[in-house]
Amino acid sequence: EVQLVESGGGLVQPGGSLRLSCAASGFTFSNYWMHWVRQAPGKGLVWVSFVNSDGSSTKYADSVKGRFTISRDNAKNTLYLQMNSLSAEDTAVYYCVRSREGFDYWGQGTVVTVSS
Amino acid sequence: QSALTQPRSVSGSPGQSVTISCTGTSSDVGGYDYVSWYQQYPGKAPKLMIHDVSKRPSGVPDRFSGSKSGNTASLTISGLQAEDEADYYCCSYAGSAWVFGGGTKVTVL
């Protein structure tokens, strides 16, 4: 069974940093592209970032470019999102998502709240 | 990276058909056959319903179908059922990013 389990969310002050992790199991992690997608309270889905299967290629939404860094450790079957210079606009549920044909598996999400 | 345009809400009676539109540009929806659709219940993670414009993953009822014409993609739910009441999002590859629509709430009357 495919499982994606996010962790690392929490309350952080504006300007602070947080690192999200996503533990993958039930599939060959190193064969798949991975993404982070977020959803602010009461709002829609927003794509955040992508990493290819070996970590050599990454892409970012304009809203997080230069502040967020996506990475992966295929030996540990884990995806990461390093988030710096956080602002209230980054408050959201962050989902770890696998993709091949569409975003086919989603984690349950981890909540990030940016507030003083 | 502008969001794709979806109607905020659509509704229908059980057994009827509803169609949700998703309008983008030639840089996203019109430029690639990589449109997908997601169903989301409140407080839950989204679920893939359609990928590559019109392909249904295993386990998705054939009441759900997708299509595309020019810069607009569409999701049609035929034979609407009570459990189809949810939020639906379209998504398109856009060359160097992916972009979602704003979401459509489907109400079963």
Side-chain angles (χ1 to χ4, degrees):
Chain A
E1 178 194 4
V2 172
Q3 284 199 318
L4 298 168
V5 180
E6 302 94 337
S7 60
L11 175 64
V12 61
Q13 292 189 338
S17 298
L18 215 51
R19 188 173 89 151
L20 306 183
S21 299
C22 170
S25 61
F27 65 102
T28 305
F29 181 67
S30 59
N31 287 350
Y32 288 83
W33 292 0
M34 298 295 296
H35 302 253
W36 289 97
V37 174
R38 71 184 181 184
Q39 186 169 34
K43 302 296 184 181
L45 302 172
V46 176
W47 174 80
V48 173
S49 184
F50 148 90
V51 62
N52 69 346
S53 56
D54 67 3
S56 62
S57 177
T58 59
K59 299 183 190 295
Y60 299 93
D62 289 343
S63 59
V64 307
K65 204 170 293 183
R67 300 188 299 122
F68 289 12
T69 302
I70 191 171
S71 62
R72 64 191 296 162
D73 185 335
N74 285 344
K76 294 183 177 179
N77 291 338
T78 303
L79 176 72
Y80 302 100
L81 186 68
Q82 176 67 43
M83 305 187 296
N84 299 330
S85 303
L86 288 163
S87 70
E89 287 67 42
D90 298 313
T91 294
V93 175
Y94 284 74
Y95 293 101
C96 166
V97 186
R98 189 185 88 165
S99 76
R100 173 162 284 178
E101 294 174 322
F103 298 149
D104 59 355
Y105 281 93
W106 297 62
Q108 84 288 350
T110 187
V111 178
V112 172
T113 303
V114 184
S115 175
S116 55
Chain B
Q1 296 176 358
S2 299
L4 307 176
T5 301
Q6 297 181 233
R8 297 199 71 169
S9 64
V10 299
S11 62
S13 300
Q16 288 186 330
S17 293
V18 296
T19 296
I20 303 168
S21 60
C22 170
T23 302
T25 69
S26 58
S27 296
D28 38 62
V29 175
Y32 306 93
D33 286 335
Y34 297 132
V35 176
S36 51
W37 290 89
Y38 303 87
Q39 177 191 63
Q40 187 181 34
Y41 294 114
K44 301 296 186 181
K47 174 187 175 183
L48 176 66
M49 304 302 284
I50 296 286
H51 66 86
D52 297 353
V53 176
S54 60
K55 298 178 181 177
R56 239 181 354 264
S58 173
V60 172
D62 60 7
R63 303 183 289 106
F64 292 86
S65 62
S67 63
K68 189 184 86 167
S69 178
N71 296 337
T72 298
S74 299
L75 174 72
T76 297
I77 309 173
S78 305
L80 199 62
Q81 298 184 6
E83 62 259 35
D84 299 333
E85 185 161 297
D87 294 323
Y88 292 82
Y89 295 89
C90 62
C91 180
S92 176
Y93 179 62
S96 59
W98 283 258
V99 60
F100 281 93
T104 298
K105 180 172 180 56
V106 171
T107 301
V108 181
L109 301 172

